[in-house]
Amino acid sequence: MNGAIKKADILIETLPYIRNFYGKTVVIKYGGSAMLNCELKEKVIKDLLLMRYVGINVVLVHGGGPEISSILKKVGKHSKFINGLRVTDKETMEIAEMVLAGKINKEIVALINKNGGKAVGITGKDGNLAKAKKMVLTNDMSEPTDLGFVGEICEVNPQLLKTLFDDGCIPVIASIAMGEDGETYNINADHMAQELAIALKAEKLVFLTDVEGILEDYNNPDSLLSVLTVKDALEKIKNGGISGGMIPKVEACIKSIKQGVRRTHIIDGRIPHSLLLEIFTDKGIGTMVIE
Amino acid sequence: MNGAIKKADILIETLPYIRNFYGKTVVIKYGGSAMLNCELKEKVIKDLLLMRYVGINVVLVHGGGPEISSILKKVGKHSKFINGLRVTDKETMEIAEMVLAGKINKEIVALINKNGGKAVGITGKDGNLAKAKKMVLTNDMSEPTDLGFVGEICEVNPQLLKTLFDDGCIPVIASIAMGEDGETYNINADHMAQELAIALKAEKLVFLTDVEGILEDYNNPDSLLSVLTVKDALEKIKNGGISGGMIPKVEACIKSIKQGVRRTHIIDGRIPHSLLLEIFTDKGIGTMVIE
Amino acid sequence: MNGAIKKADILIETLPYIRNFYGKTVVIKYGGSAMLNCELKEKVIKDLLLMRYVGINVVLVHGGGPEISSILKKVGKHSKFINGLRVTDKETMEIAEMVLAGKINKEIVALINKNGGKAVGITGKDGNLAKAKKMVLTNDMSEPTDLGFVGEICEVNPQLLKTLFDDGCIPVIASIAMGEDGETYNINADHMAQELAIALKAEKLVFLTDVEGILEDYNNPDSLLSVLTVKDALEKIKNGGISGGMIPKVEACIKSIKQGVRRTHIIDGRIPHSLLLEIFTDKGIGTMVIE
Amino acid sequence: MNGAIKKADILIETLPYIRNFYGKTVVIKYGGSAMLNCELKEKVIKDLLLMRYVGINVVLVHGGGPEISSILKKVGKHSKFINGLRVTDKETMEIAEMVLAGKINKEIVALINKNGGKAVGITGKDGNLAKAKKMVLTNDMSEPTDLGFVGEICEVNPQLLKTLFDDGCIPVIASIAMGEDGETYNINADHMAQELAIALKAEKLVFLTDVEGILEDYNNPDSLLSVLTVKDALEKIKNGGISGGMIPKVEACIKSIKQGVRRTHIIDGRIPHSLLLEIFTDKGIGTMVIE
Amino acid sequence: MNGAIKKADILIETLPYIRNFYGKTVVIKYGGSAMLNCELKEKVIKDLLLMRYVGINVVLVHGGGPEISSILKKVGKHSKFINGLRVTDKETMEIAEMVLAGKINKEIVALINKNGGKAVGITGKDGNLAKAKKMVLTNDMSEPTDLGFVGEICEVNPQLLKTLFDDGCIPVIASIAMGEDGETYNINADHMAQELAIALKAEKLVFLTDVEGILEDYNNPDSLLSVLTVKDALEKIKNGGISGGMIPKVEACIKSIKQGVRRTHIIDGRIPHSLLLEIFTDKGIGTMVIE
Amino acid sequence: MNGAIKKADILIETLPYIRNFYGKTVVIKYGGSAMLNCELKEKVIKDLLLMRYVGINVVLVHGGGPEISSILKKVGKHSKFINGLRVTDKETMEIAEMVLAGKINKEIVALINKNGGKAVGITGKDGNLAKAKKMVLTNDMSEPTDLGFVGEICEVNPQLLKTLFDDGCIPVIASIAMGEDGETYNINADHMAQELAIALKAEKLVFLTDVEGILEDYNNPDSLLSVLTVKDALEKIKNGGISGGMIPKVEACIKSIKQGVRRTHIIDGRIPHSLLLEIFTDKGIGTMVIE
């Protein structure tokens, strides 16, 4: 009995957080270990469900690079990468779409619904949620590089998501969109999450990553920054304190903040229940990027 | 961090219970130690808030015998009791109403709202919620005894409660109602809770008491019955296995069950978070009376 | 038959007034003889009901000084008054709340409902309707005087009143509110009425008093002013033409007018049906304070 | 002042009647002196407005035989009548429609709106409100007589009226409808009123006539029957106690009652405010036909 | 079968136009041959129905000069015209109203409903849709001329039309309105259409006329202007390129465009399905007046 | 111009059909040539859009056997078929889901949206639309055969589809569903279409096939049956008049009819605009199976 009472006390500790987030929107970019490790995956899904039950409108955005690569390999295709972006020809795009929209997306939907939720898995194409345009990449000599069907979002129509929220659903978004030219484009999932968060005027945009957050000193794992201002973030990018794959995430945070998202977070998806820890504790986890 | 993760695990354990109760109505008869002890009181209130936040429509019904007696004493009035019922003259009724609707009710409302809720404290009079008629008590010789303004509910109009639910409010009900004769009647709070639960087709009716529940063997405190059927309950009342103040509560359970309330519970309000333990654990606590 | 036809003619005379007030909000500060005299009380209640039936959203705000004093006396407590304000210690506040919310409020609710209405009696605490802060009174030497739990309204959240209007209810408000500190404060009912009228953007704020209105010449009872501009009212307060208990009422009129209430009235509650006379005649009664 | 107070008392006397009719539907067949006499007309219109303001859904159905005859005369046409029904050829029907829908209907609409109401004047054709079929009249020898475009209602679709009620409008209906054959038919206004009352499940159907009501003794004007049962009415028709133009009205009452209209009335439109007298007094006026 | 397939192809060609007009409002001034010729009339009505079915909110405004004249003649009245406007005495106004609201309006309603639509025929009086004031005409010497009951619209309250749209109805408007003085005024139907289009923020205002449109060269029937800017239109009026009865129509286009109507059209009602040709083809027909 | 007018006449011919189907639901099983041939595909999509624009709630259900086979081949897997059903192991199911939900479904969605529609592509998993159970196949000797992840629908929750209809969307359904066991099952698309039509109480269920319909005489292509009763259909199945792949389609028609679908059709998808021909002509095309 005492154990049960202590557990109830723990539930009660969440009251002030529930109060704050009631009716708010949280966009989560799902990726990394939290998506690969079965046990972590189950925990993320349950965290989502709890968030939904206590009145938070949750959107999950996912990519799926590793699985795309693995299927491409099966059918004997090899991708070239430029600046970390996969050069995407028509056949690659078709396979990517199958994997993202037909495999990963549906696995997540199944996992949520198996646990009692009501997920609906869609892409940016569905309901004209997001429109893309071809990404133009120029090299050092200002020459454009053709990445094929790699796009960026130029317009979001969030009505379908709101309809799904009102129906009690959790939208799960595969990061694909259609261009004005009618072609299908592969979209970086961090970028998709950012654009949806902006269009939904989200309370929070959370990136589930495989790092602890942003470090004060790149070489000292104990120097995690809990809070980082936009100004300091820009400085760190400039001086190399933030580098590699972390740059697009931090830039997505900065752009989101500037366009009205209240808070943005880079958190460690390797920690079980990292989402709940972020939402339901004062300290939160990882790094919060703010104005 | 590990502590935090364990806490998150505990939150997650509640998922199946939250799912089951989402959008359901729970009527709670509040009384005894849980209402007198400050620490327990705070815990009950927080339990209520959590229930409300996870989508349960909560109604709290309270009486207040001890406080009425204490104020009556202050003004120099003494009550006569017949069969445990206070003979209630006009002046007593006035004082009872002041104490119930103007003191106890408002203290509970204040406590809920201080903790971030949105309680609205009313009586059966307000919005014509409940209509009463004079209770007629006959003695062994079938002679009627006049208890004064002691009434029983003859009609409930639950619309106001539904309006308050839709507005996100927690209704707190002082157990008083107006008769067709325009007089104010004191209503036993167990009876009021029962009638509201029936009118609202509640999922649960819970009595917070100062006992552990119904015992198999009256003399053996370890013989708590987790479940009691209506048939066994009636048998126990007949053979004295249930007696005293427990009889009206068990009878309220039986009547509620027969008129469509799904589950009724007699639980131990002296246990911290007894409401959460009942709602959010498989075993529940106390005794559940079922069909 | 002729009598009946003449009566019908009288009903028809109200048409233009009904038209004007349809769907508008009228806040009434109820007090004085109209609340003490049984016959007048019944008339006020019926006036309210008629107003509600022809589509006016009516709010009734009441105080209850005399009854509080009488109960305090019964339990042997004596109040000290500073500048007409009762110094209110904790015990006094508790008794005041009981009397206001548990006695006077419920009597009014009962009277309205007995006459076929649907009143709901609440305080500023309920539904977080009004938040108070401690009133700070400084004497001539700028020294603060502690009045105890005497407060003023610092925030109104009128949503609950609108919900009740939509449900066809008449809200009856006991003039009490909770502070940010969680304490209960006694609020001057004139002040509460003013703040609710402002928050509701009321069409009219009406003070039922025991005087005919504002007199041109303080010594000449025949010099009633039907209309008084804010400018003239301020002048009269300055030169003593308005004095004593009338000052806070006139100041409430001025503040309300400045914050968007269309019309404010000080009328004579000793006249039967004074509310109807104000609403349903061209001349109105008492004094109207306007911009 | 005393006069004003007495008037207020009269308003207050209407409270119980307002309560009873709030949200109910009353269909009024308008005709006779109440439609011809300017002063009476104005009074009827104001009665309607008051009924609408206190929450009654009012429908006005009118015919216009005398005006049709007068215009027919102007253009040199003479009508033949069989059993009191005008034999209606195509040209007559066109003129009848012009007079009913383009003159009388719009005059009533103008009068209501001039007095501050929101009337909408339509016919049975508009919004497919009522469908007609040709009336078949057989003579004593069972030979059919052709009355031309005289019809009876065979279907009512009351949706448009409900939409207009919700919008705060008073529908004014000219008694014309379209047949399945696409032809326009003249409908007896008593019959139209009856069919609308049935389709709307009206609380009351009121015929404004030029007689006091049904008399017990046909020769004794003081023998007015306040209440007449369907059984007695049928008896009186059989034995000649009800005759002439009163028969169709009483039959409309009987049919309406049998199909769910609560109360039906034949009242004296020559009495000023006869509608209000019927609605807002206990005795009512004229004869009420009941089950 | 091939014929059927080709027809289907034609349906499919309308898709982009349907898309563009979905949920938009189109006001049509109906007159000339399209209203006199039976075959054309039927086609206009079916065009309207199709427009309604594919989601366009259609309003039809009609006059009826020729029929008014014909009826006036029947009753032996002759009208005087000043500047093309009929001097309208009381009796003329009454007859005009009968013809417009009771004959022409109801014929159109019947025709629409016979074809499966749900038309509701009203005037500017109904539901206080449009308020008029007396038109003041001054001659060359600035002396006012009295035209009697000829008015112009000074206020439109489009709520009733929106209610009818939501109910799936097609409002058919006879061009009559009530003045503040309570008198009925005859309104030029072009002017009424213009004012309704402005109040409804219509997508299109279409005049069905008996000419092909505006010609570049007044003498060359092959010089139809498909598009005319406001500037060029004003120029053409000044230099006589637009004259006679076309002036008020073009001025109505100009005023509508300036007050927010998207597009205005003068089209040839003598061409079968001219409305569909305008809405469902790229070229449209007639002349479009634009900013 | 004459050409344009003739086209308008053709549009107008559709009016009675549009009227009949307004607001009704039509479920279409999409397959065969109409899905493989690019030109036909485009026509089907435009037919759908037109149906949606004229107010029909359209649902498209698709399978994709040939594409699944082709991808399986690419990755070197061969399927065994029993009774025409693909034995589906885990890996096959994964690939089938990718192809159905991630390729074919999204291609259809893209095609609809490119043409101006608002399609949303989902599977039976999303929003818990359809629940499956493992299909049990017994051979002649009543021995069960394990087909792996081949399922049949045991429960449909059509709420999500209704939400999408209200939002103006066209749901496109890949024929996959989740079992109670959490596994993904491949569902025959004819069967899925049937179950959705029943749950939606559809007006029509249409199978787009590669045959003309049901023939009277199997060997005579000119003996197409326009209408087939359930009784005759059962007879034909028994005596071999209906055989092979047509049996499940006809059985789906029969089951749907018996459970409340109004009409079921087997039509020839090789004919351009076969859907429009079915909906918008009296004769329709193919075979209609009715009660």
Side-chain angles (χ1 to χ4, degrees), chain D residues 67-85:
Chain D
E67 290 220 39
I68 295 169
S69 298
S70 130
I71 303 268
L72 283 173
K73 206 168 150 192
K74 269 197 194 162
V75 299
K77 272 196 78 94
H78 292 278
S79 301
K80 205 178 123 192
F81 283 81
I82 298 178
N83 284 15
L85 296 161

mmCIF file of all heavy atoms in Angstrom, chain D residues 67-85:
data_model
loop_
_atom_site.group_PDB
_atom_site.id
_atom_site.type_symbol
_atom_site.label_atom_id
_atom_site.label_comp_id
_atom_site.label_asym_id
_atom_site.label_seq_id
_atom_site.Cartn_x
_atom_site.Cartn_y
_atom_site.Cartn_z
ATOM 1 N N GLU D 67 -60.246 41.194 -50.661
ATOM 2 C CA GLU D 67 -59.383 41.993 -51.540
ATOM 3 C C GLU D 67 -59.257 41.352 -52.919
ATOM 4 O O GLU D 67 -59.165 42.041 -53.931
ATOM 5 C CB GLU D 67 -57.995 42.163 -50.917
ATOM 6 C CG GLU D 67 -58.027 43.078 -49.697
ATOM 7 C CD GLU D 67 -56.808 44.001 -49.667
ATOM 8 O OE1 GLU D 67 -56.373 44.500 -50.729
ATOM 9 O OE2 GLU D 67 -56.286 44.190 -48.558
ATOM 10 N N ILE D 68 -59.228 40.024 -52.946
ATOM 11 C CA ILE D 68 -59.169 39.349 -54.246
ATOM 12 C C ILE D 68 -60.409 39.726 -55.054
ATOM 13 O O ILE D 68 -60.316 40.133 -56.221
ATOM 14 C CB ILE D 68 -59.075 37.813 -54.072
ATOM 15 C CG1 ILE D 68 -57.756 37.433 -53.388
ATOM 16 C CG2 ILE D 68 -59.188 37.088 -55.414
ATOM 17 C CD1 ILE D 68 -57.656 35.997 -52.937
ATOM 18 N N SER D 69 -61.575 39.647 -54.416
ATOM 19 C CA SER D 69 -62.824 39.993 -55.105
ATOM 20 C C SER D 69 -62.771 41.417 -55.626
ATOM 21 O O SER D 69 -63.181 41.705 -56.761
ATOM 22 C CB SER D 69 -64.014 39.855 -54.145
ATOM 23 O OG SER D 69 -64.131 38.514 -53.718
ATOM 24 N N SER D 70 -62.252 42.320 -54.812
ATOM 25 C CA SER D 70 -62.251 43.727 -55.209
ATOM 26 C C SER D 70 -61.346 43.963 -56.417
ATOM 27 O O SER D 70 -61.678 44.716 -57.328
ATOM 28 C CB SER D 70 -61.857 44.583 -53.992
ATOM 29 O OG SER D 70 -60.847 45.476 -54.304
ATOM 30 N N ILE D 71 -60.183 43.288 -56.444
ATOM 31 C CA ILE D 71 -59.295 43.474 -57.600
ATOM 32 C C ILE D 71 -59.892 42.780 -58.835
ATOM 33 O O ILE D 71 -59.840 43.306 -59.952
ATOM 34 C CB ILE D 71 -57.877 42.932 -57.318
ATOM 35 C CG1 ILE D 71 -57.262 43.592 -56.084
ATOM 36 C CG2 ILE D 71 -56.977 43.066 -58.555
ATOM 37 C CD1 ILE D 71 -56.438 44.815 -56.317
ATOM 38 N N LEU D 72 -60.470 41.605 -58.634
ATOM 39 C CA LEU D 72 -61.100 40.898 -59.771
ATOM 40 C C LEU D 72 -62.150 41.805 -60.412
ATOM 41 O O LEU D 72 -62.253 41.896 -61.634
ATOM 42 C CB LEU D 72 -61.761 39.600 -59.288
ATOM 43 C CG LEU D 72 -60.814 38.423 -59.011
ATOM 44 C CD1 LEU D 72 -61.571 37.260 -58.383
ATOM 45 C CD2 LEU D 72 -60.119 37.963 -60.302
ATOM 46 N N LYS D 73 -62.907 42.478 -59.539
ATOM 47 C CA LYS D 73 -63.955 43.388 -60.022
ATOM 48 C C LYS D 73 -63.334 44.493 -60.876
ATOM 49 O O LYS D 73 -63.804 44.796 -61.971
ATOM 50 C CB LYS D 73 -64.658 43.991 -58.809
ATOM 51 C CG LYS D 73 -66.099 44.421 -59.069
ATOM 52 C CD LYS D 73 -66.769 44.723 -57.726
ATOM 53 C CE LYS D 73 -67.838 45.794 -57.867
ATOM 54 N NZ LYS D 73 -68.241 46.260 -56.524
ATOM 55 N N LYS D 74 -62.208 45.061 -60.376
ATOM 56 C CA LYS D 74 -61.520 46.133 -61.112
ATOM 57 C C LYS D 74 -61.165 45.704 -62.535
ATOM 58 O O LYS D 74 -61.227 46.501 -63.465
ATOM 59 C CB LYS D 74 -60.221 46.515 -60.396
ATOM 60 C CG LYS D 74 -60.394 47.641 -59.398
ATOM 61 C CD LYS D 74 -59.036 48.240 -59.048
ATOM 62 C CE LYS D 74 -59.171 49.101 -57.808
ATOM 63 N NZ LYS D 74 -57.887 49.365 -57.173
ATOM 64 N N VAL D 75 -60.714 44.446 -62.689
ATOM 65 C CA VAL D 75 -60.335 43.997 -64.032
ATOM 66 C C VAL D 75 -61.503 43.313 -64.732
ATOM 67 O O VAL D 75 -61.323 42.677 -65.774
ATOM 68 C CB VAL D 75 -59.105 43.056 -63.999
ATOM 69 C CG1 VAL D 75 -57.904 43.790 -63.419
ATOM 70 C CG2 VAL D 75 -59.401 41.790 -63.224
ATOM 71 N N GLY D 76 -62.682 43.432 -64.137
ATOM 72 C CA GLY D 76 -63.895 42.993 -64.823
ATOM 73 C C GLY D 76 -64.146 41.495 -64.827
ATOM 74 O O GLY D 76 -64.796 40.961 -65.728
ATOM 75 N N LYS D 77 -63.638 40.795 -63.805
ATOM 76 C CA LYS D 77 -63.906 39.351 -63.734
ATOM 77 C C LYS D 77 -64.890 39.050 -62.602
ATOM 78 O O LYS D 77 -64.826 39.653 -61.519
ATOM 79 C CB LYS D 77 -62.612 38.582 -63.454
ATOM 80 C CG LYS D 77 -61.841 38.213 -64.682
ATOM 81 C CD LYS D 77 -60.801 37.139 -64.418
ATOM 82 C CE LYS D 77 -61.347 35.757 -64.330
ATOM 83 N NZ LYS D 77 -61.321 34.993 -65.590
ATOM 84 N N HIS D 78 -65.789 38.103 -62.815
ATOM 85 C CA HIS D 78 -66.721 37.715 -61.762
ATOM 86 C C HIS D 78 -66.493 36.253 -61.417
ATOM 87 O O HIS D 78 -66.323 35.424 -62.302
ATOM 88 C CB HIS D 78 -68.165 37.952 -62.212
ATOM 89 C CG HIS D 78 -68.456 39.409 -62.344
ATOM 90 N ND1 HIS D 78 -68.794 40.218 -61.283
ATOM 91 C CD2 HIS D 78 -68.404 40.217 -63.431
ATOM 92 C CE1 HIS D 78 -68.946 41.465 -61.715
ATOM 93 N NE2 HIS D 78 -68.706 41.502 -63.020
ATOM 94 N N SER D 79 -66.480 35.941 -60.159
ATOM 95 C CA SER D 79 -66.238 34.555 -59.743
ATOM 96 C C SER D 79 -67.551 33.862 -59.454
ATOM 97 O O SER D 79 -68.497 34.455 -58.950
ATOM 98 C CB SER D 79 -65.394 34.534 -58.464
ATOM 99 O OG SER D 79 -64.179 35.175 -58.676
ATOM 100 N N LYS D 80 -67.575 32.572 -59.754
ATOM 101 C CA LYS D 80 -68.694 31.725 -59.380
ATOM 102 C C LYS D 80 -68.260 31.007 -58.095
ATOM 103 O O LYS D 80 -67.091 30.669 -57.928
ATOM 104 C CB LYS D 80 -68.904 30.692 -60.500
ATOM 105 C CG LYS D 80 -70.301 30.122 -60.604
ATOM 106 C CD LYS D 80 -70.368 29.139 -61.787
ATOM 107 C CE LYS D 80 -70.832 27.778 -61.315
ATOM 108 N NZ LYS D 80 -70.642 26.736 -62.358
ATOM 109 N N PHE D 81 -69.178 30.783 -57.189
ATOM 110 C CA PHE D 81 -68.837 30.071 -55.949
ATOM 111 C C PHE D 81 -69.649 28.782 -55.859
ATOM 112 O O PHE D 81 -70.822 28.747 -56.186
ATOM 113 C CB PHE D 81 -69.144 30.947 -54.733
ATOM 114 C CG PHE D 81 -68.119 32.028 -54.506
ATOM 115 C CD1 PHE D 81 -68.171 33.216 -55.234
ATOM 116 C CD2 PHE D 81 -67.088 31.863 -53.585
ATOM 117 C CE1 PHE D 81 -67.226 34.214 -55.035
ATOM 118 C CE2 PHE D 81 -66.143 32.866 -53.381
ATOM 119 C CZ PHE D 81 -66.211 34.041 -54.114
ATOM 120 N N ILE D 82 -68.999 27.709 -55.495
ATOM 121 C CA ILE D 82 -69.689 26.440 -55.244
ATOM 122 C C ILE D 82 -69.360 26.019 -53.821
ATOM 123 O O ILE D 82 -68.184 25.947 -53.459
ATOM 124 C CB ILE D 82 -69.232 25.346 -56.230
ATOM 125 C CG1 ILE D 82 -69.589 25.762 -57.676
ATOM 126 C CG2 ILE D 82 -69.870 23.997 -55.905
ATOM 127 C CD1 ILE D 82 -69.128 24.775 -58.733
ATOM 128 N N ASN D 83 -70.394 25.775 -53.031
ATOM 129 C CA ASN D 83 -70.178 25.413 -51.609
ATOM 130 C C ASN D 83 -69.245 26.409 -50.918
ATOM 131 O O ASN D 83 -68.402 26.019 -50.117
ATOM 132 C CB ASN D 83 -69.572 24.023 -51.483
ATOM 133 C CG ASN D 83 -70.594 22.939 -51.725
ATOM 134 O OD1 ASN D 83 -71.682 23.230 -52.252
ATOM 135 N ND2 ASN D 83 -70.285 21.707 -51.355
ATOM 136 N N GLY D 84 -69.367 27.659 -51.258
ATOM 137 C CA GLY D 84 -68.544 28.673 -50.614
ATOM 138 C C GLY D 84 -67.123 28.727 -51.140
ATOM 139 O O GLY D 84 -66.299 29.516 -50.674
ATOM 140 N N LEU D 85 -66.807 27.887 -52.121
ATOM 141 C CA LEU D 85 -65.447 27.886 -52.676
ATOM 142 C C LEU D 85 -65.458 28.579 -54.033
ATOM 143 O O LEU D 85 -66.298 28.287 -54.892
ATOM 144 C CB LEU D 85 -64.953 26.446 -52.830
ATOM 145 C CG LEU D 85 -64.802 25.684 -51.510
ATOM 146 C CD1 LEU D 85 -64.764 24.179 -51.746
ATOM 147 C CD2 LEU D 85 -63.544 26.141 -50.787
#
